[in-house]
Amino acid sequence: MLKLCGFHISNYFNKARIAMLEKGVPFELDPTCKPSQQEDFLARSPMGKVPFLDVDGAHLSESQVICEYLEDAFPQKPLYPRDPLARARVRELISFMELHVELVARQLYREVFFGGRVSDEVKQSVEKGLVKGIRALRARARFDPYIAGAELTLADCAAFVHLPLVSLASKIAYGRDPLESMPQIKPYLKMLGERPAFRAVNDDRKAAQAAMQK
């Protein structure tokens, strides 16, 4: 039995969980794991990060690695197209969203979500980086009706968990949302949120956030 370990507020944990639900993979959930540098945790997740996947006692880290494993191990309901170029386009979209949009915006999280401080220089650098990353995403996103085309793919799992965070962080930091240059995003995310897997994960995220604020 597979066990996905992480916590409900983690967007990368939620990406992997949505993928598992959409693929119909049987798994258990451990939503109590938080990043740690303790030796016992590092034995399961060498970078001390979440999510990680327990595969009958073996462990896999990084959400994209987990999702690629799921595609290989459970090909019956794929989240990638068959065509090699189309598959590469899905990976390209995920790379744009994770490396050039979400990871850039993540530099703001310490201030906008956790009460810390981020320098003006970092904010300016993030703003410029987001312009480039979103430009690249806009060039490849199709919304036909899914982000990579006619079929649901892993890129949709990534978009649903990452893009709202980027919008929220940007609004708090700058008073504006750079993703508004892509007006298709709001109805697209609403459509995804109506799917049972996406809705269940989003409901658990909201409940976990509410519990933290008590």
Side-chain angles (χ1 to χ4, degrees):
M1 175 64 73
L2 303 179
K3 181 183 288 186
L4 182 65
C5 305
F7 59 103
H8 288 306
I9 296 177
S10 164
N11 44 326
Y12 289 91
F13 172 77
N14 289 337
K15 167 192 165 185
R17 185 182 171 201
I18 291 171
M20 296 178 85
L21 291 170
E22 283 288 345
K23 289 177 71 64
V25 175
F27 69 101
E28 297 175 353
L29 200 64
D30 181 353
T32 66
C33 294
K34 302 289 178 64
S36 172
Q37 294 298 307
Q38 296 296 318
E39 286 192 14
D40 60 338
F41 193 87
L42 293 174
R44 296 184 291 167
S45 175
M47 288 296 295
K49 296 165 57 178
V50 295
F52 64 88
L53 185 68
D54 185 318
V55 186
D56 296 324
H59 299 100
L60 286 174
S61 302
E62 301 293 341
S63 68
Q64 190 62 26
V65 172
I66 292 168
C67 291
E68 296 285 346
Y69 163 77
L70 295 171
E71 283 296 294
D72 291 338
F74 303 93
Q76 298 86 350
K77 189 176 179 183
L79 287 175
Y80 281 109
R82 285 188 177 184
D83 176 74
L85 180 58
R87 292 171 73 87
R89 287 295 192 204
V90 170
R91 292 187 175 100
E92 184 181 42
L93 280 165
I94 295 169
S95 293
F96 286 160
M97 285 187 282
E98 295 191 345
L99 299 180
H100 304 300
V101 178
E102 198 277 340
L103 194 61
V104 173
R106 183 166 286 262
Q107 297 173 76
L108 302 172
Y109 294 178
R110 182 159 59 97
E111 179 170 313
V112 301
F113 296 143
F114 302 114
R117 290 291 300 165
V118 174
S119 70
D120 290 341
E121 290 78 11
V122 168
K123 288 182 182 178
Q124 292 169 7
S125 174
V126 167
E127 193 169 22
K128 290 178 181 177
L130 286 175
V131 168
K132 292 195 294 185
I134 292 168
R135 181 183 64 202
L137 179 60
R138 188 167 58 243
R140 288 289 188 259
R142 293 178 59 187
F143 302 112
D144 188 28
Y146 299 103
I147 199 165
E151 302 296 330
L152 182 84
T153 69
L154 187 59
D156 298 295
C157 304
F160 188 75
V161 299
H162 297 323
L163 298 185
L165 265 180
V166 173
S167 290
L168 180 59
S170 298
K171 287 177 183 177
I172 296 172
Y174 307 117
R176 57 188 178 277
D177 180 3
L179 285 167
E180 287 182 353
S181 64
M182 301 176 66
Q184 308 97 321
I185 286 180
K186 285 186 178 180
Y188 158 73
L189 292 175
K190 183 177 184 296
M191 174 193 69
L192 290 180
E194 293 169 354
R195 297 179 68 93
F198 288 77
R199 183 170 60 247
V201 170
N202 202 37
D203 286 348
D204 284 345
R205 178 191 61 79
K206 290 178 180 178
Q209 285 180 320
M212 285 180 62
Q213 294 169 0
K214 290 181 179 179

